[in-house]
Each structure stands twice: as C-alpha cells, then as structure tokens.
Amino acid sequence: MRQRLSSEPDRYRGRRRVPTPPRSRYAAVVTSAFVGAGVVALGAGALPDAKSVSPSVLDELKQASITSQDVADRAASVDKPSRSNARDSQAKRDEVWLLPLQGYDFKSPYGMRWGKLHTGIDLVAPEGTPYVAVHDGTVTKAGWFGGYGYAVIVKHADGSEIIYGHSSEVSVHEGQQVKAGDQLGLVGNTGHSYGSHLHLEVHVDGQPIDPVPWLDVRGVNIQLQIDTFYSEVAAS
Ligand SMILES: [Zn+2]
C-alpha cells in the first residue's frame, strides 16, 4: 500500500494531499447576505467587524459578489434583443397570434349559409370599433374590395392570408408591414353586409378555410372569447 502511494507522481499526490481551506461559516453567511441584498459594490468598510475578518475571506467575498453579479447580468441579458439572438426574436414573433377584436358577438360561422358558402366568420361589434392584425405580415390590400366593402388583407410569412371585411374605414396602406396587434381599421357595415361586424376570412394556399380551428391551433381561441363574452353578459 505504502509502496504504491510512493510510486504515484508527486503532482498527483500533492493535489490530493493539500487540503482545501474550509470556507468559514462566517464567510458563507456574509456572502449570502450580500448576494441576497443585491449589493454590487463591496468594500471592507461595508463589512461588519471588518478588522476581524482575514484578507482571504474578504477576497472570497469579493469573488463571490463578482460572480453572482456576472450571473445576474447574464440572466438580465437573456431578454434583451441583440444581433446574436435576432433569429430567436423573430421566432418568438412568428408565434404571436391575437384576437382581432376584444368583445364581440360571434354571429355567423364558416360554412353553408343561404345556399352558398360563407367563407369566413362574422364578429359583431359596434361601428367604429378598432380591429387589429391577428399576426405580423404585409398589407396586400387596403381599400374597397367588392362585396367585402372596405377591407384589409394581410399576408403572413407562412403564405397564409387574412381578409378583414366590411370596415367603416381602413387605417393602413398597401405594402405596409404590420405587427400582430397593430390597428388595421374600424368595424363597419360596408359592402354586402347586414349590419356592423368584422368579417374575418383565412386563406391557405389561396383557398378559404374555417378560421376557428386554424386560429385555435395558433393559440387564438374564438370560442373562449365567446364564452367570456356571454358569461360577462350573464353576470351583468
Ligand atoms: Zn361574413
């Protein structure tokens, strides 16, 4: 046993045998107190009984403070946009989908109506109510659009399009880039419309689809909004 130990390289034996100085209980308590209080600047004068604390403990404290500050800085920088995570920011934007209106009456679903296909959903709201972009995209139409009246069409990065119809007025122009939540226009009763409402129509590959399940997959629950609306009405 002794023979084997003596044959080990000195460096190895040295590392193994030099005891790590035990971190004193005092240092641990004071360190956590400083970190907990969020103190950044650390001087000997700030310490209680500074004279009785050995320089090595002070160094250890400073190091602990610097390290914890580094960690705090790094944590804070995670949410800040920068060139390096621009792609991550764009990925987050791609996930932002919003309701076009707050507070509406879901009047007419997608499907057959009066012998023909109703190609969108009708969200009834008072004339002049602002409506917003459901998702980031490019405005490809902003103005009179036949039966849709004053309408806005926004094309998204994935190629899908949303038509917002029957506006009393539009607030954007063709070619404009919009973000989810940007105001596009005001609810109205223009074109082939039976009363003030927003006609919301989704096109995928150029064809209209039922917006309700399509939006639901993207976290926009039209049904939830209806339930909320009616429960508020019932409670009032
Ligand atoms: Zn409609």
Side-chain angles (χ1 to χ4, degrees):
M1 191 68 179
R2 210 178 180 88
Q3 197 62 30
R4 277 187 64 194
L5 276 174
S6 65
S7 71
E8 288 174 325
D10 283 345
R11 267 178 59 209
Y12 176 76
R13 283 166 58 200
R15 272 193 192 169
R16 286 294 292 265
R17 291 184 181 187
V18 172
T20 307
R23 197 187 178 91
S24 75
R25 189 182 181 82
Y26 178 79
V29 169
V30 174
T31 300
S32 57
F34 268 89
V35 171
V39 175
V40 178
L42 180 61
L47 282 169
D49 301 316
K51 285 170 194 164
S52 66
V53 181
S54 77
S56 67
V57 169
L58 281 176
D59 285 344
E60 193 177 4
L61 280 172
K62 282 180 190 169
Q63 198 54 48
S65 176
I66 290 163
T67 304
S68 67
Q69 188 56 33
D70 284 349
V71 170
D73 285 347
R74 255 177 270 133
S77 71
V78 166
D79 290 333
K80 290 179 192 162
S82 69
R83 277 177 205 150
S84 63
N85 63 16
R87 199 188 296 176
D88 291 344
S89 300
Q90 188 53 49
K92 279 178 190 164
R93 292 277 345 155
D94 289 346
E95 289 166 15
V96 177
W97 296 80
L98 303 172
L99 285 167
L101 283 172
Q102 292 299 321
Y104 52 79
D105 185 356
F106 183 73
K107 183 82 172 185
S108 185
Y110 176 95
M112 293 305 290
R113 182 179 66 171
W114 307 322
K116 60 180 281 198
L117 180 67
H118 180 230
T119 51
I121 54 175
D122 292 348
L123 308 176
V124 175
E127 182 147 351
T129 304
Y131 64 86
V132 303
V134 169
H135 191 56
D136 294 10
T138 305
V139 176
T140 56
K141 182 79 192 176
W144 189 262
F145 192 45
Y148 293 92
Y150 286 107
V152 174
I153 303 178
V154 176
K155 186 164 190 171
H156 312 125
D158 65 4
S160 63
E161 296 164 291
I162 295 182
I163 303 173
Y164 305 79
H166 309 313
S167 314
S168 60
E169 63 178 71
V170 298
S171 314
V172 291
H173 56 83
E174 287 170 21
Q176 188 176 332
Q177 301 291 318
V178 292
K179 298 284 186 194
D182 286 353
Q183 183 179 321
L184 298 180
L186 304 178
V187 174
N189 188 26
T190 57
H192 295 159
S193 179
Y194 50 84
S196 179
H197 74 286
L198 175 69
H199 171 91
L200 190 85
E201 182 167 325
V202 175
H203 284 201
V204 174
D205 297 328
Q207 296 298 316
I209 57 154
D210 187 349
V212 174
W214 191 81
L215 287 171
D216 190 58
V217 168
R218 288 153 179 81
V220 178
N221 192 334
I222 298 280
Q223 187 65 44
L224 182 68
Q225 177 70 17
I226 295 163
D227 291 344
T228 303
F229 180 76
Y230 283 119
S231 65
E232 281 170 6
V233 169
S236 63

